[in-house]
Amino acid sequence: MALLLGLAAAATYGAADFAGGLVARRVNAICVVFVSQLAGLMVLATILPFEAAGPTKEAFWWGVVAGVGGGGGVAFLYRGLAKARMSVVAPVTAVEAAIIPVLYGLLSGEKPGALALVGVVIALVAVALVAAPREEDGGTARRITGLAQPGIKDALLAGLGFGCFFIFLAKTGDGAGMWPLVGSKASSITLVALAGLVARNSLRPPAGTWGPILLAGVLDVAANVLYLLASRTGLLSLVAVATSLYPASTVLLARIVLRERMSGGQFVGLVLVVTGVGLMAAG
């Protein structure tokens, strides 16, 4: 069940990133994150009255800390997606976002089975292959490596933020309900609002962009809920990897909607995604 919830979170995160990254090409990323996170908080407000669990200070504050990483991660990710190929930025972010919780989980005593560990390694390789960093320049494909690639610095910062988000949100405990996500959204909204004030960016979206921004926010909070449930029923070292497969849906949407070309390596990576997930489930 944890693996299925993690995969559902991955698919939803991927769709949210596509919607948010696409609109961030027309609106500054800080504005997109602020409004989308606010929309997510409003969705949570409709769920909380039906929550059996009450808020606890510890869970709420773990959510606040997680929100700092998550909010910063989304802002850097959307900025990267806005200025570079989605099929490059999203996977690079995901590799780092998966590695950090995996290392934390193993160091804190988690012991996945041998097949599951092999699946983790294959999944990480798959995400790296999906990146397939290429840039079209005057009809000639040229390889650009390292930090010189457009959006890579943003992707690395986003991956660091998401990795911390996964770890801290998993610490909130089984009986906290959805309250940790309230703390997460509150801190991310505050952080992004302050960043907008410092950068003197408008936090009001222009006409015609509200729809995709709100959609990104609703999808993002839905993915948060799915990940939170997954982290409470399975090992962090496996759930984080399953959730970090979200670039597969981002790449596919970019291929279908934006007609971004998919390299042979990316196709192999998507195939390995299925193999890695299967091994994690078997292990």
Side-chain angles (χ1 to χ4, degrees):
M1 179 59 73
L3 188 59
L4 290 176
L5 288 170
L7 292 174
T12 311
Y13 273 130
D17 291 344
F18 178 79
L22 192 60
V23 74
R25 295 181 175 183
R26 294 183 287 160
V27 187
N28 75 80
I30 290 178
C31 172
V32 175
V33 177
F34 176 77
V35 176
S36 64
Q37 294 292 293
L38 197 59
L41 184 59
M42 293 175 67
V43 171
L44 282 175
T46 66
I47 298 174
L48 291 176
F50 303 98
E51 272 283 347
T56 65
K57 288 184 178 180
E58 183 180 6
F60 179 82
W61 284 111
W62 275 123
V64 168
V65 176
V68 174
V74 172
F76 283 115
L77 176 63
Y78 284 1
R79 192 172 73 171
L81 293 173
K83 64 185 181 183
R85 290 169 62 88
M86 290 188 178
S87 54
V88 172
V89 175
V92 170
T93 298
V95 170
E96 187 179 5
I99 289 175
I100 293 173
V102 167
L103 292 176
Y104 177 84
L106 295 176
L107 290 174
S108 61
E110 291 187 354
K111 296 180 180 180
L115 278 179
L117 285 175
V118 172
V120 167
V121 173
I122 291 176
L124 292 176
V125 172
V127 173
L129 282 174
V130 171
R134 296 184 70 85
E135 181 175 278
E136 299 298 324
D137 183 21
T140 302
R142 60 187 177 90
R143 181 69 62 175
I144 300 178
T145 59
L147 296 179
Q149 295 180 62
I152 290 299
K153 292 180 181 179
D154 291 315
L156 292 173
L157 290 170
L160 176 61
F162 289 148
C164 293
F165 174 81
F166 289 153
I167 292 172
F168 294 137
L169 201 60
K171 286 180 168 289
T172 57
D174 296 347
M178 296 297 111
W179 287 99
L181 292 179
V182 176
S184 171
K185 294 298 179 187
S187 63
S188 62
I189 289 170
T190 302
L191 175 68
V192 174
L194 290 174
L197 290 174
V198 171
R200 296 184 179 181
N201 288 331
S202 173
L203 298 180
R204 180 180 177 84
T209 62
W210 281 91
I213 294 177
L214 295 178
L215 175 62
V218 172
L219 290 171
D220 180 68
V221 75
N224 289 165
V225 171
L226 290 167
Y227 169 74
L228 188 61
L229 294 174
S231 69
R232 291 172 177 172
T233 55
L235 298 178
L236 175 64
S237 53
L238 299 183
V239 170
V241 172
T243 303
S244 294
L245 294 173
Y246 67 83
S249 58
T250 305
V251 169
L252 288 174
L253 285 169
R255 175 70 181 90
I256 295 169
V257 179
L258 301 179
R259 306 296 182 187
E260 287 191 1
R261 297 179 62 183
M262 185 180 296
S263 69
Q266 286 179 317
F267 181 77
V268 172
L270 292 177
V271 173
L272 288 180
V273 164
V274 179
T275 304
V277 169
L279 289 173
M280 284 191 287

